Amino acid sequence: FSYYSDRSRSIMCFVGVGDADEQVRATQPSLHDATFLPDDEAVLRVAKAMVAGYIAGAELLTSAPTE
C-alpha cells in the first residue's frame, strides 16, 4: 500500500469487524482466511468509514486554500 501512496493520493482505514469478546474473537477466522465472513453490521461500518474517507478526500481536493 505504501508503494502506491507514494505515487498517488491514498487513504487507508482500519475498521474493526471482530467481536468485542476476546474468547469469541479467538475462534473466528482472521481477515486473510478463506472462510472470513463479517456480519452485515460490520460491512455497514466499513462502508460508512469508506464514504467518510472519500468525502474528506474530495473536500481536500476541491477546497480553495485559505489565507
Side-chain angles (χ1 to χ4, degrees):
F1 182 82
S2 65
Y3 174 80
Y4 294 110
S5 61
D6 277 347
R7 309 268 186 281
S8 176
R9 291 184 176 136
S10 304
I11 186 169
M12 183 173 193
C13 298
F14 291 95
V15 182
V17 296
D19 195 284
D21 184 329
E22 189 174 326
Q23 288 183 335
V24 172
R25 198 171 53 243
T27 63
Q28 295 174 330
S30 65
L31 177 62
H32 299 289
D33 189 298
T35 62
F36 175 73
L37 183 62
D39 62 26
D40 290 343
E41 204 50 45
V43 173
L44 179 60
R45 283 193 309 272
V46 171
K48 288 179 177 181
M50 292 177 73
V51 168
Y54 177 82
I55 291 170
E59 283 183 5
L60 287 174
L61 292 174
T62 60
S63 62
T66 58
E67 301 214 20

